[in-house]
């Protein structure tokens, strides 16, 4: 963004709340007019990078803050995850923090060899991961770093201030959160991001 500091100040005026059990923190939705304006700029780049959405793109976005200490994570938050199994759904992370927390990592599941999940491959992945846990146990309550023991990190986005990354939501990924750092709920101090999902619009009528 041309003026990321204003976005941080705007985030400081929002009301944040827990929105899903999957996300280890709190969120506040971006206004619809902001999403509409961004879609005008981003749609040509999404078409070029991920394939043309014949009927255009739709978007949801939030200010997000990671606030859950490692010891309070639920099991599903200790693994890499996907945002769904549809490769047409895209995700964006825009980093707006200067904390000790990192960016985003992308992972391969060791025993299945999978780096992305689809409706067809998800059952085999789930069975393989459940077998991993039976044989090797659950990872300790902590944010994902290198992915051990069940995953390996294959790519890392630094997460520098005002950097953004776009990716298909069905690839295995995780925020690279510093387990030893502070988990502030203050947008000026915490791991503030804007995260968004994009989907091709369906044909009307």
């Amino acid at each position: 963004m041309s003026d990321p500091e204003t976005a941080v100040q705007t985030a400081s005026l929002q009301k944040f709340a827990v929105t899903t059990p999957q996300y280890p923190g709190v969120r506040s939705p971006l206004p619809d007019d902001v999403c509409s304006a961004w879609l005008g700029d981003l749609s040509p780049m999404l078409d070029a990078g991920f394939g043309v959405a014949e009927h255009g793109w739709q978007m949801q976005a939030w200010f997000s803050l990671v606030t859950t200490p490692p010891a309070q994570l639920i099991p599903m938050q200790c693994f890499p995850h996907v945002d769904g199994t549809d490769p047409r759904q895209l995700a964006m992370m825009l980093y707006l923090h200067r904390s000790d927390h990192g960016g985003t990592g992308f992972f391969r599941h060791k025993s299945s060899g999978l780096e992305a999940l689809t409706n067809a491959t998800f059952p085999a992945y789930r069975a393989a991961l459940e077998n991993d846990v039976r044989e090797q146990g659950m990872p300790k309550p902590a944010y994902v770093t290198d992915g051990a023991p069940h995953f390996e990190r294959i790519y890392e986005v630094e997460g520098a201030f005002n950097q953004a990354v776009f990716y298909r939501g069905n690839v295995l990924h995780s925020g690279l959160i510093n387990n030893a750092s502070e988990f502030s709920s203050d947008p000026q101090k915490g791991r503030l991001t804007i995260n968004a999902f994009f989907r091709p619009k369906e044909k009307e009528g």
Side-chain angles (χ1 to χ4, degrees):
M1 293 186 292
S2 60
D3 188 8
E5 297 291 356
T6 295
V8 176
Q9 294 170 10
T10 300
S12 299
L13 302 175
Q14 306 308 304
K15 292 183 177 180
F16 284 79
V18 175
T19 57
T20 67
Q22 293 86 0
Y23 185 74
V26 291
R27 287 174 164 166
S28 179
L30 254 65
D32 290 341
D33 60 336
V34 174
C35 291
S36 296
W38 281 21
L39 273 176
D41 293 333
L42 292 174
S43 291
M45 290 183 277
L46 298 177
D47 285 343
F50 296 96
V52 174
E54 184 179 357
H55 306 292
W57 296 91
Q58 54 190 344
M59 174 184 177
Q60 290 180 295
W62 302 263
F63 287 112
S64 300
L65 278 164
V66 174
T67 56
T68 305
Q72 297 178 17
L73 294 174
I74 60 176
M76 68 181 340
Q77 295 169 336
C78 302
F79 293 103
H81 65 278
V82 296
D83 301 322
T85 55
D86 186 350
R88 298 176 302 168
Q89 177 169 295
L90 311 179
M92 179 200 79
M93 289 289 291
L94 172 62
Y95 308 97
L96 292 174
H97 68 97
R98 294 188 175 94
S99 71
D100 293 334
H101 296 298
T104 302
F106 297 87
F107 296 85
R108 176 185 297 117
H109 180 231
K110 291 180 179 179
S111 62
S112 69
L114 292 169
E115 300 172 9
L117 304 181
T118 64
N119 286 339
T121 61
F122 179 78
Y125 165 78
R126 179 175 180 174
L129 182 58
E130 289 175 346
N131 187 63
D132 291 342
V133 171
R134 281 194 297 269
E135 293 185 351
Q136 303 175 54
M138 284 286 297
K140 66 179 182 179
Y143 287 96
V144 178
T145 54
D146 60 3
H150 309 308
F151 298 82
E152 58 183 335
R153 193 174 70 213
I154 56 176
Y155 189 74
E156 176 182 350
V157 177
E158 177 187 5
F161 184 76
N162 203 31
Q163 179 187 25
V165 59
F166 294 78
Y167 51 93
R168 296 190 187 277
N170 71 326
V171 299
L172 287 161
H173 62 279
S174 178
L176 298 177
I177 311 301
N178 185 343
N179 286 281
S181 190
E182 180 185 7
F183 290 83
S184 176
S185 59
D186 182 349
Q188 301 277 354
K189 299 178 180 178
R191 188 183 185 269
L192 177 67
T193 60
I194 293 176
N195 63 305
F197 294 133
F198 303 88
R199 290 187 62 86
K201 291 181 179 178
E202 300 295 335
K203 183 178 180 179
E204 296 182 1

